Amino acid sequence: MESIRRRNPQAALNSLEAAAVSARGGFACMFSTADEYEAALISERRANGRYASRWPVIMFVGCAMMIAATVLLLN
C-alpha cells in the first residue's frame, strides 16, 4: 500500500483504468441476446452431429411394417 502512495497519482489512475479495461474485456460476450447464443449453440451441436439420430427412421420403418402386417392379416 505504501508504494501506491509514493507513486504519481496520475500513473496510479492510468494503471487502475488499464486494469478496469482489461477486466471488462474478460466479460465481453459475442452474442447480444440469449436467442443468438442458443441458435449458435444448436448450429454448433448440429455441425458436430450431436442431434443426428437414426431413431426416427427406425421407428417409422417399424410402424410401417406393423401397419403393413395388420393390413395383410385383415385381408
Side-chain angles (χ1 to χ4, degrees):
M1 203 61 163
E2 187 67 30
S3 64
I4 293 175
R5 289 182 188 161
R6 289 184 186 174
R7 288 165 81 188
N8 181 3
Q10 186 62 33
L13 182 59
N14 289 340
S15 175
L16 184 61
E17 286 177 359
V21 168
S22 175
R24 274 189 239 116
F27 294 110
C29 184
M30 56 192 277
F31 306 105
S32 61
T33 64
D35 291 334
E36 285 181 11
Y37 171 74
E38 292 292 330
L41 183 65
I42 290 170
S43 65
E44 180 68 25
R45 287 180 178 173
R46 281 189 180 145
N48 290 334
R50 191 161 197 187
Y51 295 125
S53 176
R54 293 183 298 185
W55 279 109
V57 174
I58 293 170
M59 294 298 287
F60 176 75
V61 170
C63 289
M65 289 174 63
M66 288 187 334
I67 291 171
T70 303
V71 169
L72 289 174
L73 289 175
L74 291 179
N75 284 334

